[in-house]
Amino acid sequence: MEDCLFCKIVNKEIPSSIVYEDDEILAFKDINPAAPVHILVVTKKHLESIKNIKKEDEILIGRIFTVINNIAVEQGIADSGYRVVTNSGRDSGQEVKHLHFHIIGGKELGSKICK
Ligand code: AMP
Ligand code: ZN
């Protein structure tokens, strides 16, 4: 999709630090990490947020969690623990309107998930 930052990253028009890629999924390091490990996992297909997920996307969305698990193992945080976040819509503060899952870990994150 034109003018979508993450579509441009998927299409390699904007550089990123890629940690995983397959036909449907890309994972890259967040440019402004909130923790020692902060990776974004995106669908290559442009979906704005959870609200745009359709029945036909169920396998893809399920597979994202397998990818997340594999990345967590590779990053050495699978046992220490980590948080997976996806912001969806205005109240969440979603900045980039392309479905993405944050993997955040590598330190104690505390229990707060909102202000
Ligand atoms: P969200 O608020 O859930 O939409 O998160 C968007 C995330 O994208 C933020 O954590 C940003 O730091 C991150 N981000 C923005 N631009 C880039 C970029 N060019 N490369 C990697 N991460 C980015
Ligand atoms: Zn997009």
Side-chain angles (χ1 to χ4, degrees), residues 49-105:
S49 71
I50 288 175
K51 76 176 176 192
N52 301 101
I53 294 171
K54 302 265 184 331
K55 182 106 186 134
E56 70 207 35
D57 303 313
E58 281 177 353
I59 291 173
L60 168 61
I61 299 303
R63 219 162 57 68
I64 280 182
F65 285 88
T66 305
V67 168
I68 287 171
N69 185 26
N70 291 340
I71 291 171
V73 170
E74 282 165 18
Q75 296 288 324
I77 58 170
D79 292 333
S80 52
Y82 57 95
R83 185 168 288 151
V84 176
V85 173
T86 185
N87 292 315
S88 187
R90 188 195 59 209
D91 283 356
S92 74
Q94 182 183 6
E95 284 172 12
V96 181
K97 307 289 189 292
H98 179 130
L99 181 65
H100 57 281
F101 295 80
H102 299 251
I103 305 173
I104 302 164

Side-chain angles (χ1 to χ4, degrees), residues 1 4-8 44-47 97-99:
M1 196 196 180
C4 171
L5 176 63
F6 287 174
C7 281
K8 287 180 179 161
K44 286 192 169 178
K45 170 180 174 176
H46 180 90
L47 295 168
K97 307 289 189 292
H98 179 130
L99 181 65

Side-chain angles (χ1 to χ4, degrees), residues 22-47:
D22 65 34
D23 288 349
E24 296 180 305
I25 295 169
L26 184 74
F28 52 92
K29 291 185 182 172
D30 195 293
I31 205 166
N32 185 22
V37 176
H38 189 166
I39 290 164
L40 302 174
V41 184
V42 309
T43 54
K44 286 192 169 178
K45 170 180 174 176
H46 180 90
L47 295 168

Side-chain angles (χ1 to χ4, degrees), residues 9 12 14-18 26-29:
I9 287 178
K12 317 273 169 70
I14 291 178
S16 67
S17 182
I18 293 172
L26 184 74
F28 52 92
K29 291 185 182 172

